[in-house]
Amino acid sequence: MTELPDRRLLLVHAHPDDESINNGATMARYAAEGAYVTLVTCTLGERGEVIPPELRHLTGPALGAHRRGELAAAVGALGVTDARLLGGAGRYGDSGMMGIPDNDDPGCFWQADVDTAAGALAEVILEVRPQVVVTYDDHGGYGHPDHIQAHRVAMRAVDLAAERGHLVAKVYWNRVPRSVAEAAFARLQDELAALPFDKGATVADVPGVVDDERITTTIDGGPGAAAAKAAAMRAHATQIEVAEPYFALSNELAQPLFTTEYYELVRGTGEPGETDLFAGLGTGAAS
């Protein structure tokens, strides 16, 4: 592999579209700054609910193949050139929402052996050698089995890579500060009548909302990154309807499109009020 840039960021997500919703502005910012950004997606989202009526015939593997194309378009909009599927395309299937029979499918990600899946991810870490890894918290942000499993696999892979000689300097979990979410939903209520959505979601519908004091890092990529995030979300047309600065999933409930993104540093040493995931690492990143 050719020599990589000094700054290297790896993100682990469960399904196509998670990367754009959670980290689109972050990915776009760092890609534009010349950092090497790697996205690892664990499933193709074959059990996702499709929004456009003309695409609702897509189910199972056909939907997964279509969503793989959406993912390629989304990462292109973000300027990311290294996007991978954990274990290869179709290795791990979408598990569906928690508590349904699909969770018991032996081919789904929820049923995957964590060490085996983490071993595959550790190989990517050892190849790319990121200083920073981003994933979900131990609840997967909102309790989806694939998000929980992605957390387990990512954290275990970081450990396995360390055992084999590469220490990831910083691990972050996706977050949204409660005050920011509450203010955004208050604005949504004032603006809902002008949107193409009949109802609004609530703060409880947003993954990863925590009390403000848990936020360690704020990433604002500016107008360029914000526009790239919205474009990437639009690329996931089966799953997302965008009406900036809001969007809706298949539940048709409007929620804010956050163009500033927030994180909790859970491994490594950070700086108070960080505005850079690479802060303190001596990689030449701007603070």
Side-chain angles (χ1 to χ4, degrees):
M1 189 173 186
T2 58
E3 186 175 351
L4 296 177
D6 288 343
R7 295 181 298 162
R8 299 177 299 279
L9 167 65
L10 185 144
L11 305 97
V12 182
H13 277 292
H15 315 103
D17 79 9
D18 292 325
E19 80 296 328
S20 299
I21 295 170
N22 287 276
N23 311 114
T26 299
M27 295 169 72
R29 167 187 161 172
Y30 285 109
E33 290 180 356
Y36 193 80
V37 180
T38 300
L39 169 67
V40 178
T41 305
C42 298
T43 82
L44 287 172
E46 302 91 339
R47 292 189 166 102
E49 296 180 356
V50 177
I51 295 174
E54 66 273 18
L55 295 176
R56 288 178 186 165
H57 64 282
L58 294 172
T59 60
L63 177 56
H66 187 89
R67 293 189 71 180
R68 186 179 183 185
E70 292 181 337
L71 179 62
V75 297
L78 298 174
V80 171
T81 58
D82 186 8
R84 311 180 187 209
L85 296 166
L86 183 63
R91 174 64 180 87
Y92 297 111
D94 188 342
S95 307
M97 299 299 289
M98 185 67 82
I100 65 173
D102 292 334
N103 300 165
D104 299 324
D105 183 337
C108 79
F109 191 46
W110 183 238
Q111 294 296 328
D113 178 78
V114 170
D115 276 353
T116 300
L121 181 57
E123 292 295 335
V124 179
I125 292 174
L126 290 167
E127 175 189 341
V128 177
R129 303 181 73 80
Q131 295 100 341
V132 178
V133 167
V134 171
T135 190
Y136 314 104
D137 65 14
D138 55 1
H139 186 56
Y142 72 111
H144 192 295
D146 288 332
H147 287 239
I148 295 170
Q149 190 78 320
H151 159 85
R152 293 171 177 169
V153 168
M155 300 304 287
R156 179 62 178 143
V158 168
D159 290 339
L160 292 175
E163 291 172 5
R164 294 176 59 185
H166 177 68
L167 179 65
V168 173
K170 302 172 86 172
V171 177
Y172 291 93
W173 291 346
N174 300 305
R175 293 299 193 196
V176 178
R178 192 171 304 280
S179 68
V180 169
E182 289 174 348
F185 276 95
R187 290 192 297 273
L188 168 61
Q189 289 307 309
D190 292 339
E191 300 172 6
L192 186 59
L195 298 176
F197 314 117
D198 292 332
K199 297 180 179 179
T202 68
V203 171
D205 295 312
V206 178
V209 174
V210 293
D211 292 340
D212 290 28
E213 56 265 27
R214 293 185 63 175
I215 304 300
T216 60
T217 312
T218 301
I219 301 298
D220 181 356
K229 175 171 181 166
M233 290 176 65
R234 284 193 175 92
H236 291 288
T238 61
Q239 306 299 303
I240 306 172
E241 182 178 357
V242 177
E244 291 179 77
Y246 302 102
F247 73 98
L249 302 173
S250 60
N251 59 13
E252 299 181 350
L253 300 176
Q255 58 179 293
L257 193 164
F258 294 109
T259 55
T260 298
E261 294 166 347
Y262 304 87
Y263 300 90
E264 179 181 1
L265 178 65
V266 295
R267 291 195 187 179
T269 302
E271 299 178 354
E274 286 182 337
T275 57
D276 180 4
L277 296 177
F278 295 90
L281 296 185
T283 56
S287 297

